[in-house]
């Protein structure tokens, strides 16, 4: 994936699927498309363009995200205090500082795998 041309939302979420599906947002980055669209920490990302965040949909969701481009609109279904909301936002280019941090974390994960923790 070329990070420079990938679409960016601006949220950080817990990678563990919550009980009834979806991911809990723990951070919304200031000035991001997510903040402008009104996403908040504590919201549950339940679906993307109508596809529910669940293990069985991982491949379909990965394919959708791989095709993201800045300027494209995506619609999240979120749950906030038990109520479903549809939130549409326009993807932005990934900021350089976010890209640098993401690449750094990605490299660390690969190094850990190569140090022999992976069989």
């Amino acid at each position: 994936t070329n990070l420079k041309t990938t679409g960016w939302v601006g949220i950080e979420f817990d990678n563990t699927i919550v009980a009834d599906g979806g991911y809990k947002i723990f951070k919304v980055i200031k000035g991001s498309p997510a903040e402008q669209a009104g996403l908040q920490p504590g919201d549950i990302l339940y679906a993307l363009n109508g596809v529910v965040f669940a293990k069985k949909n991982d491949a379909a969701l990965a394919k959708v995200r791989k095709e993201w481009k800045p300027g494209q609109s995506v619609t999240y279904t979120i749950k906030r205090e038990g109520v479903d909301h549809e939130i549409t936002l326009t993807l932005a280019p990934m900021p350089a500082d976010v890209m640098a941090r993401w690449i750094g974390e990605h490299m660390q994960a690969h190094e850990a795998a190569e140090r022999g923790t992976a069989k």
Side-chain angles (χ1 to χ4, degrees):
T1 309
N2 183 347
L3 292 177
K4 282 188 172 69
T5 58
T6 195
W8 180 66
V9 175
I11 50 176
E12 293 179 18
F13 54 86
D14 190 336
N15 233 352
T16 312
I17 293 178
V18 296
D20 55 353
Y23 298 103
K24 186 173 194 166
I25 297 174
F26 64 83
K27 183 176 181 185
V28 176
I29 296 167
K30 204 159 184 43
S32 69
E35 184 190 54
Q36 291 164 5
L39 288 171
Q40 299 173 4
D43 287 348
I44 304 297
L45 290 179
Y46 185 69
L48 170 62
N49 293 344
V51 181
V52 175
F53 288 104
K55 266 278 171 258
K56 67 179 195 280
N57 295 332
D58 277 356
L61 290 161
K63 183 179 183 313
V64 168
R65 282 200 295 264
K66 194 178 276 180
E67 294 164 1
W68 279 7
K69 299 271 180 277
Q72 181 182 337
S73 286
V74 297
T75 301
Y76 282 106
T77 304
I78 63 154
K79 293 180 182 289
R80 181 180 295 157
E81 294 166 6
V83 180
D84 286 12
H85 300 273
E86 297 272 306
I87 292 194
T88 300
L89 55 83
T90 302
L91 300 171
M94 187 177 286
D97 61 321
V98 173
M99 192 182 310
R101 193 177 74 224
W102 189 89
I103 291 169
E105 289 168 1
H106 207 67
M107 299 294 275
Q108 287 174 337
H110 277 289
E111 282 175 25
E114 287 171 12
R115 273 200 297 270
T117 51
K119 299 233 182 295

